[in-house]
Coordinates of all heavy atoms in Angstrom, one line a residue:
F631 N 14.0 -11.7 14.2 CA 13.6 -12.6 13.2 C 13.1 -12.0 11.9 O 13.3 -12.5 10.9 CB 12.5 -13.6 13.7 CG 12.9 -14.5 14.8 CD1 12.1 -15.0 15.7 CD2 14.3 -15.0 14.8 CE1 12.5 -15.9 16.8 CE2 14.7 -15.9 15.8 CZ 13.9 -16.3 16.8
V632 N 12.5 -10.8 12.1 CA 11.9 -10.1 10.9 C 13.0 -9.8 9.9 O 12.7 -9.6 8.7 CB 11.1 -8.8 11.3 CG1 12.1 -7.7 11.8 CG2 10.3 -8.3 10.3
N633 N 14.2 -9.7 10.3 CA 15.3 -9.2 9.4 C 15.6 -10.4 8.4 O 16.2 -10.1 7.3 CB 16.6 -8.9 10.2 CG 16.4 -7.6 10.9 OD1 15.8 -6.6 10.4 ND2 16.9 -7.6 12.2
V634 N 15.4 -11.6 8.9 CA 15.8 -12.8 8.0 C 15.2 -12.8 6.7 O 15.9 -12.9 5.6 CB 15.6 -14.1 8.8 CG1 16.0 -15.3 7.9 CG2 16.4 -14.1 10.1
P635 N 13.8 -12.7 6.5 CA 13.3 -12.7 5.1 C 13.6 -11.5 4.4 O 13.8 -11.5 3.2 CB 11.7 -12.7 5.4 CG 11.5 -12.3 6.9 CD 12.8 -12.8 7.6
I636 N 13.7 -10.3 5.0 CA 14.1 -9.1 4.4 C 15.5 -9.2 3.8 O 15.7 -8.8 2.6 CB 14.0 -7.8 5.4 CG1 12.7 -7.6 5.8 CG2 14.6 -6.6 4.7 CD1 12.6 -6.5 7.0
A637 N 16.4 -9.7 4.5 CA 17.8 -9.9 4.1 C 17.9 -10.9 2.9 O 18.6 -10.7 1.9 CB 18.7 -10.3 5.2
I638 N 17.1 -12.0 2.9 CA 17.1 -13.0 1.9 C 16.5 -12.4 0.5 O 17.1 -12.5 -0.5 CB 16.3 -14.2 2.4 CG1 17.0 -15.0 3.5 CG2 16.0 -15.1 1.2 CD1 16.2 -16.1 4.0
V639 N 15.4 -11.6 0.7 CA 14.8 -11.0 -0.5 C 15.8 -10.0 -1.1 O 16.1 -10.0 -2.3 CB 13.5 -10.4 -0.2 CG1 13.0 -9.5 -1.4 CG2 12.5 -11.4 0.2
A640 N 16.5 -9.1 -0.3 CA 17.4 -8.2 -0.8 C 18.6 -8.8 -1.4 O 19.1 -8.4 -2.5 CB 17.9 -7.3 0.4
L641 N 19.1 -9.9 -0.8 CA 20.3 -10.6 -1.3 C 19.9 -11.2 -2.7 O 20.7 -11.1 -3.6 CB 20.7 -11.7 -0.4 CG 22.0 -12.5 -0.6 CD1 22.4 -13.1 0.8 CD2 21.7 -13.7 -1.6
A642 N 18.8 -11.9 -2.8 CA 18.4 -12.6 -4.0 C 18.3 -11.6 -5.2 O 18.7 -11.8 -6.3 CB 17.1 -13.4 -3.9
G643 N 17.6 -10.4 -4.9 CA 17.4 -9.4 -5.9 C 18.7 -8.8 -6.4 O 18.9 -8.7 -7.6
V644 N 19.6 -8.5 -5.5 CA 20.9 -7.9 -5.9 C 21.7 -8.9 -6.7 O 22.4 -8.6 -7.7 CB 21.6 -7.3 -4.8 CG1 23.1 -7.0 -5.1 CG2 20.9 -6.1 -4.1
W645 N 21.7 -10.2 -6.2 CA 22.4 -11.3 -6.8 C 22.0 -11.4 -8.4 O 22.9 -11.6 -9.2 CB 22.3 -12.5 -6.1 CG 23.0 -13.7 -6.7 CD1 22.5 -14.5 -7.6 CD2 24.3 -14.2 -6.4 NE1 23.4 -15.5 -8.0 CE2 24.5 -15.3 -7.2 CE3 25.2 -13.7 -5.5 CZ2 25.8 -16.0 -7.1 CZ3 26.4 -14.5 -5.4 CH2 26.7 -15.6 -6.2
S646 N 20.7 -11.3 -8.6 CA 20.3 -11.6 -10.0 C 20.3 -10.4 -10.9 O 20.3 -10.5 -12.1 CB 18.9 -12.2 -9.9 OG 18.0 -11.3 -9.2
L647 N 20.2 -9.2 -10.3 CA 20.1 -8.0 -11.1 C 21.3 -7.1 -11.2 O 21.4 -6.3 -12.2 CB 18.9 -7.1 -10.5 CG 17.5 -7.7 -10.7 CD1 16.5 -6.8 -9.9 CD2 17.1 -7.7 -12.2
V648 N 22.2 -7.1 -10.3 CA 23.3 -6.1 -10.2 C 24.6 -6.7 -10.7 O 24.9 -7.9 -10.3 CB 23.4 -5.5 -8.8 CG1 24.5 -4.5 -8.7 CG2 22.1 -4.9 -8.4
S649 N 25.3 -6.0 -11.5 CA 26.6 -6.4 -11.9 C 27.6 -6.1 -10.9 O 27.5 -5.1 -10.1 CB 27.0 -5.9 -13.3 OG 26.1 -6.2 -14.3
E650 N 28.8 -6.8 -10.9 CA 29.9 -6.6 -9.9 C 30.6 -5.3 -10.3 O 30.7 -5.1 -11.6 CB 30.9 -7.8 -9.9 CG 32.0 -7.6 -8.9 CD 31.5 -7.5 -7.5 OE1 31.2 -6.3 -7.1 OE2 31.5 -8.5 -6.7
S651 N 31.2 -4.6 -9.4 CA 32.0 -3.4 -9.7 C 33.1 -3.2 -8.6 O 32.8 -3.6 -7.5 CB 31.2 -2.2 -9.8 OG 30.6 -1.8 -8.6
K652 N 34.2 -2.8 -8.9 CA 35.3 -2.5 -8.0 C 35.9 -1.2 -8.4 O 35.8 -0.7 -9.4 CB 36.4 -3.6 -8.1 CG 35.9 -5.0 -7.7 CD 37.1 -6.0 -7.8 CE 36.7 -7.4 -7.4 NZ 37.8 -8.3 -7.5
A653 N 36.6 -0.7 -7.3 CA 37.4 0.6 -7.5 C 38.8 0.2 -8.0 O 39.2 -0.9 -7.8 CB 37.5 1.3 -6.2
H654 N 39.4 1.1 -8.8 CA 40.7 0.9 -9.2 C 41.8 1.3 -8.2 O 41.4 2.0 -7.3 CB 40.9 1.6 -10.6 CG 40.0 1.2 -11.6 ND1 40.0 0.0 -12.3 CD2 38.9 2.0 -12.2 CE1 39.1 0.0 -13.2 NE2 38.4 1.1 -13.2
G655 N 42.9 0.8 -8.4 CA 44.0 1.3 -7.5 C 44.4 0.2 -6.6 O 44.0 -1.0 -6.6
S656 N 45.3 0.5 -5.6 CA 45.9 -0.4 -4.7 C 44.8 -0.8 -3.6 O 44.3 0.0 -2.8 CB 47.1 0.1 -4.0 OG 47.6 -0.7 -3.0
A657 N 44.6 -2.2 -3.5 CA 43.6 -2.6 -2.5 C 44.3 -3.0 -1.1 O 44.4 -4.1 -0.8 CB 42.9 -3.9 -3.0
K658 N 44.8 -2.0 -0.5 CA 45.5 -2.1 0.7 C 44.7 -1.5 1.9 O 44.1 -0.4 1.7 CB 46.9 -1.6 0.7 CG 47.8 -2.3 -0.3 CD 49.2 -1.7 -0.2 CE 50.2 -2.4 -1.2 NZ 51.5 -1.8 -1.1
Y659 N 44.6 -2.2 3.0 CA 43.8 -1.7 4.1 C 44.6 -1.3 5.3 O 45.8 -1.8 5.6 CB 42.8 -2.9 4.6 CG 41.9 -3.4 3.5 CD1 42.2 -4.6 2.9 CD2 40.8 -2.6 3.1 CE1 41.4 -5.1 1.9 CE2 40.0 -3.1 2.1 CZ 40.3 -4.3 1.5 OH 39.5 -4.8 0.5
D660 N 44.2 -0.2 6.0 CA 44.9 0.4 7.1 C 44.5 -0.4 8.4 O 43.6 0.1 9.1 CB 44.6 1.9 7.1 CG 45.1 2.5 8.4 OD1 46.1 2.0 8.9 OD2 44.7 3.6 8.8
W661 N 45.0 -1.6 8.5 CA 44.6 -2.4 9.7 C 44.9 -1.7 11.0 O 44.1 -1.9 12.0 CB 45.1 -3.8 9.6 CG 44.5 -4.5 8.5 CD1 45.1 -5.1 7.3 CD2 43.1 -5.0 8.4 NE1 44.2 -5.7 6.5 CE2 42.9 -5.7 7.1 CE3 42.0 -4.9 9.2 CZ2 41.7 -6.2 6.7 CZ3 40.7 -5.4 8.8 CH2 40.6 -6.0 7.6
P662 N 46.2 -1.2 11.2 CA 46.4 -0.5 12.5 C 45.4 0.6 12.8 O 44.9 0.7 13.9 CB 47.8 0.1 12.3 CG 48.4 -0.8 11.2 CD 47.3 -1.2 10.3
G663 N 45.0 1.4 11.7 CA 43.9 2.3 12.0 C 42.6 1.7 12.4 O 41.9 2.2 13.2
V664 N 42.2 0.6 11.7 CA 41.0 -0.1 12.0 C 41.0 -0.5 13.5 O 40.0 -0.3 14.3 CB 40.8 -1.3 11.2 CG1 39.6 -2.2 11.6 CG2 40.6 -0.9 9.7
I665 N 42.1 -1.1 14.0 CA 42.2 -1.6 15.3 C 42.2 -0.5 16.3 O 41.5 -0.5 17.4 CB 43.5 -2.5 15.5 CG1 43.3 -3.8 14.6 CG2 43.7 -2.9 16.9 CD1 44.6 -4.5 14.5
L666 N 43.0 0.6 16.0 CA 43.0 1.7 17.0 C 41.6 2.4 17.1 O 41.3 2.7 18.2 CB 44.1 2.7 16.5 CG 45.5 2.3 16.7 CD1 46.5 3.2 16.0 CD2 45.9 2.2 18.2
A667 N 41.0 2.6 16.0 CA 39.7 3.3 16.0 C 38.7 2.4 16.8 O 37.9 3.0 17.6 CB 39.2 3.5 14.6
A668 N 38.6 1.1 16.5 CA 37.7 0.3 17.2 C 37.9 0.2 18.7 O 37.0 0.3 19.5 CB 37.6 -1.1 16.6
L669 N 39.2 0.0 19.1 CA 39.5 -0.1 20.5 C 39.3 1.3 21.2 O 38.9 1.2 22.4 CB 41.0 -0.6 20.7 CG 41.2 -2.1 20.3 CD1 42.8 -2.3 20.4 CD2 40.4 -3.0 21.1
G670 N 39.7 2.4 20.5 CA 39.6 3.6 21.2 C 38.1 4.0 21.5 O 37.7 4.5 22.5
L671 N 37.2 3.8 20.4 CA 35.8 4.0 20.6 C 35.2 3.1 21.6 O 34.4 3.5 22.5 CB 35.1 4.0 19.3 CG 35.4 5.1 18.3 CD1 34.8 4.7 16.9 CD2 35.0 6.4 18.7
G672 N 35.6 1.8 21.6 CA 35.1 0.9 22.5 C 35.5 1.2 23.9 O 34.7 1.1 24.9
S673 N 36.7 1.7 24.2 CA 37.2 2.0 25.5 C 36.4 3.2 26.0 O 36.0 3.3 27.2 CB 38.7 2.3 25.4 OG 39.4 1.2 25.1
L674 N 36.1 4.2 25.2 CA 35.4 5.4 25.7 C 34.0 5.0 26.1 O 33.5 5.4 27.2 CB 35.3 6.4 24.5 CG 36.5 7.4 24.4 CD1 36.3 8.3 23.2 CD2 36.8 8.2 25.6
V675 N 33.3 4.2 25.2 CA 31.9 3.9 25.6 C 31.9 3.0 26.9 O 31.0 3.2 27.8 CB 31.3 3.1 24.4 CG1 29.9 2.5 24.8 CG2 31.1 4.1 23.2
Y676 N 32.8 2.1 26.9 CA 32.8 1.2 28.1 C 33.1 2.0 29.4 O 32.6 1.7 30.5 CB 33.9 0.1 27.9 CG 33.9 -1.0 28.9 CD1 32.7 -1.8 29.1 CD2 34.9 -1.2 29.9 CE1 32.7 -2.8 30.1 CE2 34.9 -2.1 30.8 CZ 33.8 -3.0 30.9 OH 33.7 -3.9 31.9
G677 N 34.0 2.9 29.3 CA 34.4 3.8 30.4 C 33.2 4.6 30.9 O 32.9 4.7 32.1
F678 N 32.5 5.3 29.9 CA 31.4 6.0 30.3 C 30.2 5.2 30.9 O 29.5 5.6 31.8 CB 30.8 6.8 29.1 CG 31.6 8.0 28.8 CD1 32.2 8.2 27.6 CD2 31.6 9.1 29.7 CE1 32.9 9.4 27.3 CE2 32.3 10.3 29.4 CZ 32.9 10.4 28.2
T679 N 30.1 3.9 30.4 CA 29.1 3.0 30.9 C 29.4 2.6 32.4 O 28.5 2.6 33.3 CB 29.0 1.8 30.1 OG1 28.6 2.1 28.7 CG2 27.9 0.8 30.7
N680 N 30.8 2.4 32.6 CA 31.2 2.0 34.0 C 31.1 3.2 35.0 O 31.0 3.0 36.2 CB 32.6 1.5 34.0 CG 32.6 0.0 33.5 OD1 31.8 -0.7 33.8 ND2 33.6 -0.3 32.6
A681 N 31.0 4.4 34.5 CA 31.0 5.6 35.3 C 29.7 5.7 36.1 O 29.5 6.4 37.0 CB 31.1 6.9 34.5
E682 N 28.7 4.8 35.7 CA 27.4 4.6 36.5 C 27.7 4.3 37.9 O 26.9 4.6 38.7 CB 26.6 3.6 35.7 CG 25.2 3.5 36.3 CD 24.3 2.6 35.4 OE1 24.5 2.6 34.1 OE2 23.5 1.8 36.0
R683 N 28.9 3.6 38.2 CA 29.2 3.2 39.6 C 30.1 4.3 40.2 O 30.5 4.1 41.4 CB 30.0 1.9 39.5 CG 29.2 0.7 39.1 CD 30.0 -0.6 39.1 NE 30.9 -0.7 38.0 CZ 31.8 -1.6 37.9 NH1 32.1 -2.4 38.8 NH2 32.6 -1.6 36.8
G684 N 30.3 5.3 39.5 CA 31.1 6.5 40.0 C 32.3 6.8 39.2 O 32.9 6.0 38.6
W685 N 32.6 8.1 39.0 CA 33.6 8.6 38.1 C 35.0 8.3 38.7 O 36.0 8.3 37.9 CB 33.5 10.0 37.9 CG 32.3 10.4 37.1 CD1 31.1 10.9 37.6 CD2 32.1 10.4 35.7 NE1 30.2 11.1 36.5 CE2 30.8 10.8 35.4 CE3 32.9 9.9 34.6 CZ2 30.4 10.8 34.1 CZ3 32.5 10.0 33.3 CH2 31.2 10.4 33.1
D686 N 35.1 7.9 39.9 CA 36.5 7.6 40.5 C 36.9 6.1 40.4 O 37.9 5.8 40.8 CB 36.5 8.0 42.0 CG 35.4 7.3 42.8 OD1 34.4 6.9 42.2 OD2 35.5 7.3 44.0
V687 N 36.0 5.2 39.8 CA 36.4 3.8 39.8 C 37.3 3.7 38.6 O 37.1 4.3 37.5 CB 35.1 2.9 39.6 CG1 34.2 3.1 40.9 CG2 34.3 3.2 38.4
P688 N 38.3 2.8 38.7 CA 39.3 2.5 37.6 C 38.6 2.1 36.3 O 39.1 2.5 35.2 CB 40.2 1.5 38.1 CG 40.1 1.6 39.6 CD 38.6 2.0 39.9
Q689 N 37.5 1.3 36.4 CA 36.9 0.9 35.2 C 36.3 2.1 34.4 O 35.9 1.9 33.2 CB 35.8 -0.2 35.5 CG 36.3 -1.5 36.0 CD 36.5 -1.5 37.5 OE1 36.6 -0.4 38.1 NE2 36.5 -2.7 38.1
A690 N 36.1 3.2 35.0 CA 35.5 4.3 34.4 C 36.6 5.2 33.9 O 36.8 5.3 32.6 CB 34.6 5.2 35.3
W691 N 37.3 5.9 34.7 CA 38.4 6.8 34.2 C 39.5 6.1 33.5 O 40.1 6.7 32.5 CB 39.0 7.7 35.4 CG 39.7 7.0 36.4 CD1 39.1 6.6 37.7 CD2 41.0 6.5 36.4 NE1 40.0 5.9 38.4 CE2 41.2 5.9 37.7 CE3 42.0 6.6 35.5 CZ2 42.4 5.3 38.0 CZ3 43.2 6.0 35.8 CH2 43.5 5.4 37.1
G692 N 39.8 4.9 33.9 CA 40.8 4.1 33.2 C 40.5 3.9 31.7 O 41.4 4.1 30.9
F693 N 39.3 3.4 31.4 CA 39.0 3.1 30.1 C 38.7 4.4 29.3 O 39.0 4.4 28.1 CB 37.7 2.3 30.0 CG 38.0 0.8 30.2 CD1 37.9 0.2 31.4 CD2 38.5 0.1 29.1 CE1 38.2 -1.2 31.5 CE2 38.7 -1.3 29.2 CZ 38.6 -1.9 30.5
I694 N 38.2 5.5 29.9 CA 38.1 6.7 29.2 C 39.4 7.3 28.8 O 39.6 7.7 27.7 CB 37.3 7.7 30.1 CG1 35.8 7.3 30.3 CG2 37.3 9.1 29.5 CD1 35.1 8.1 31.2
A695 N 40.4 7.2 29.8 CA 41.8 7.7 29.4 C 42.4 6.9 28.3 O 43.0 7.4 27.4 CB 42.6 7.7 30.7
A696 N 42.2 5.6 28.4 CA 42.7 4.7 27.4 C 42.1 5.0 26.0 O 42.8 4.9 25.0 CB 42.5 3.2 27.8
G697 N 40.8 5.2 26.0 CA 40.2 5.6 24.8 C 40.7 6.9 24.1 O 41.0 6.9 22.9
I698 N 40.9 7.8 25.0 CA 41.5 9.1 24.5 C 42.9 8.9 23.9 O 43.3 9.4 22.8 CB 41.5 10.2 25.6 CG1 40.0 10.5 26.0 CG2 42.3 11.4 25.1 CD1 40.0 11.4 27.2

Side-chain angles (χ1 to χ4, degrees):
F631 292 147
V632 71
N633 292 317
V634 177
I636 297 176
I638 291 173
V639 171
L641 187 158
V644 169
W645 178 271
S646 61
L647 289 173
V648 179
S649 300
E650 183 61 281
S651 66
K652 295 182 181 180
H654 301 291
S656 176
K658 294 183 179 180
Y659 302 104
D660 176 21
W661 292 113
V664 173
I665 294 170
L666 287 168
L669 290 178
L671 292 171
S673 294
L674 277 180
V675 173
Y676 189 67
F678 279 117
T679 301
N680 283 320
E682 190 170 317
R683 292 182 284 169
W685 291 100
D686 57 339
V687 299
Q689 292 90 339
W691 62 262
F693 277 97
I694 292 173
I698 293 172

